[in-house]
Amino acid sequence: MSQTPPVRPDTPCVAVCSTTFDDVCRGCGRTVVEVSQWVFMTQEEKDVVWERILAEGYPRRQG
């Protein structure tokens, strides 16, 4: 039995960008390279990033 992939937004971006100043964005948890390469990544590569950032408690909206 195959599992249905999780439904996620197209990107983990929450418009709290800090990659100009930080190596890891405080909003989405992606690295500078992951942010810049996101549109070129395969779905499998994106899934790996999603798993990591979700495990680390991202994405975070600052209120």
Side-chain angles (χ1 to χ4, degrees):
M1 187 180 268
S2 66
Q3 270 189 314
T4 304
V7 176
R8 297 182 177 132
D10 293 335
T11 176
C13 182
V14 292
V16 182
C17 302
S18 68
T19 53
T20 301
F21 308 105
D22 302 310
D23 290 334
V24 174
C25 180
R26 290 184 227 160
C28 70
R30 294 178 293 169
T31 66
V32 173
V33 172
E34 290 166 344
V35 170
S36 66
Q37 294 300 306
W38 189 259
V39 297
F40 304 109
M41 290 176 147
T42 66
Q43 188 58 52
E44 292 77 21
E45 292 169 327
K46 290 178 181 180
D47 289 343
V48 169
V49 174
W50 269 109
E51 292 299 318
R52 188 193 81 243
I53 64 175
L54 290 172
E56 293 174 354
Y58 291 96
R60 297 179 184 153
R61 294 191 186 277
Q62 297 180 355

